[in-house]
Each structure stands twice: as C-alpha cells, then as structure tokens.
Amino acid sequence: VDPKNPRVIYVGSNELLKSTDNGASWQNLHMLEGEHDVVFDPSDAQTFYLINNSGIWKSSDGGQSFINLNTGLGIALLQAVGPHPTNPNVAVGSTQDNGTIVYGGGFAWDQGRLGDAGNGFYEPTNPRKVYASGHYTDLFRSDDGGKTWLLISPATDSTDRVQFYAPFLKDPSQPGVLYFATHRVWRSQ
C-alpha cells in the first residue's frame, strides 16, 4: 500500500498489479518476474523499488515504467546444473525466470535461452548439442553449445496433467534418447 495514499495498492505474485481505487479495479503493470516486495521511497510516492525473481527494479512514475538495477548483480535461482561430459570447466544451468545459462570457465555465466528453465543437460556423444526444459511441455535443443535454441516440444495430449517443471532426462545408456513426463512417460525415437 502506498504510504502516502492508501487508495493506491500494489499486489504481485507472477505479475504486478496496481489499483488506485482501493482495489475496485486493477491495472496490470506487465512485470512477469515473480514479485516479492515493493519498497517505497519515503520522499516520493511515485518512486518505488520492486524486488522479484530477477533482482531489483526501480519505477519513478508509479509503475508505468521500470529501470533495471541489476547491472553487475549476479543472481540466479538455479533449478538444475548439467555438467559438460568431457570438460569440467563447462556446464549448463537452468534457472527460474532467468532461463538457461551456460558456464564456460570464466567469472560469469552466459545467457542462453530466456524464460523459465527446469532442467538442462548435454548430449554425451555430441556436447555441442544441449537440451533444456522450460515450463510445462516446452522443450528446447541447442546445436551450438547453448548460443541459439530451437523449440522441440513433443506432441503431447493437451489434457495431460503436467508439473510446471516437468521431468526431462537423457537416457544414460542410449545417446540421443530422451524421456519427458507428464502424468505418463514419453520417450524420443
């Protein structure tokens, strides 16, 4: 609640919503980042800081626009890490809201695919091929070590029950064979 105007309310979970009439109507501010907190500037009611899954953002106009304050801030909520099959200095990481990231042995991870990522792994016999899962039935493949990504989602039944991060695994004994699970298990050919 705006400390200077109690009619102004901000509510967030996956999106950030704003009401200027005690909650009678709501405006979507289009921040899809998993909102956690709003901290108001005590000297300016139009300025607040939004803390969410991707870091910290500042609005100076009541939420109509946001400035990214994350430059140099290295944060990520990792869901999984897939080590390279032959190089211990390389890995693929799957993050909540910040996508698939690739570690190449340096100080920082490189951004690969944006969005949610549940699991990521390398093809053992061809480590330039990387797989990653998104949310629900979104599956991706990179043929260039994680620089570019193709959507490869299977043609599952739209009525399948599925977790937000559905299980997605490589077969440990058969290169190129993948498993994906909704309420049933799917196997690649």
Side-chain angles (χ1 to χ4, degrees):
V1 177
D2 185 321
K4 299 205 187 249
N5 183 353
R7 293 178 52 82
V8 177
I9 304 167
Y10 295 89
V11 173
S13 62
N14 286 333
E15 305 179 272
L16 182 64
L17 304 174
K18 178 182 181 179
S19 174
T20 57
D21 56 9
N22 289 326
S25 63
W26 295 92
Q27 174 191 6
N28 187 337
L29 299 179
H30 302 289
M31 287 295 289
L32 302 171
E33 301 290 338
E35 318 311 337
H36 297 288
D37 199 6
V38 173
V39 179
F40 291 94
D41 183 326
S43 63
D44 179 8
Q46 288 294 301
T47 299
F48 65 88
Y49 298 87
L50 177 64
I51 291 82
N52 60 30
N53 287 348
S54 65
I56 184 167
W57 301 76
K58 178 182 179 181
S59 177
S60 299
D61 57 10
Q64 297 308 302
S65 64
F66 290 88
I67 299 168
N68 184 341
L69 300 179
N70 297 300
T71 303
L73 180 63
I75 59 170
L77 176 59
L78 283 165
Q79 299 293 335
V81 173
H84 190 279
T86 60
N87 186 342
N89 295 315
V90 176
V92 60
S94 301
T95 72
Q96 179 179 324
D97 297 323
N98 295 303
T100 304
I101 55 178
V102 179
Y103 180 70
F107 178 72
W109 293 68
D110 295 322
Q111 183 68 56
R113 189 191 62 75
L114 296 173
D116 284 298
N119 196 14
F121 50 87
Y122 290 89
E123 178 63 51
T125 59
N126 179 5
R128 302 257 322 131
K129 192 175 285 190
V130 187
Y131 294 95
S133 63
H135 61 297
Y136 303 113
T137 60
D138 289 346
L139 304 178
F140 301 88
R141 185 186 74 228
S142 172
D143 295 322
D144 57 10
K147 293 180 179 70
T148 60
W149 295 86
L150 301 166
L151 182 65
I152 60 162
S153 297
T156 59
D157 186 327
S158 63
T159 63
D160 276 11
R161 296 179 308 276
V162 62
Q163 295 175 347
F164 186 78
Y165 293 126
F168 181 46
L169 306 164
K170 63 185 173 196
D171 188 308
S173 60
Q174 296 182 41
V177 175
L178 307 173
Y179 293 95
F180 172 72
T182 58
H183 69 284
R184 53 187 157 185
V185 177
W186 299 84
R187 181 182 184 269
S188 70
Q189 296 297 329

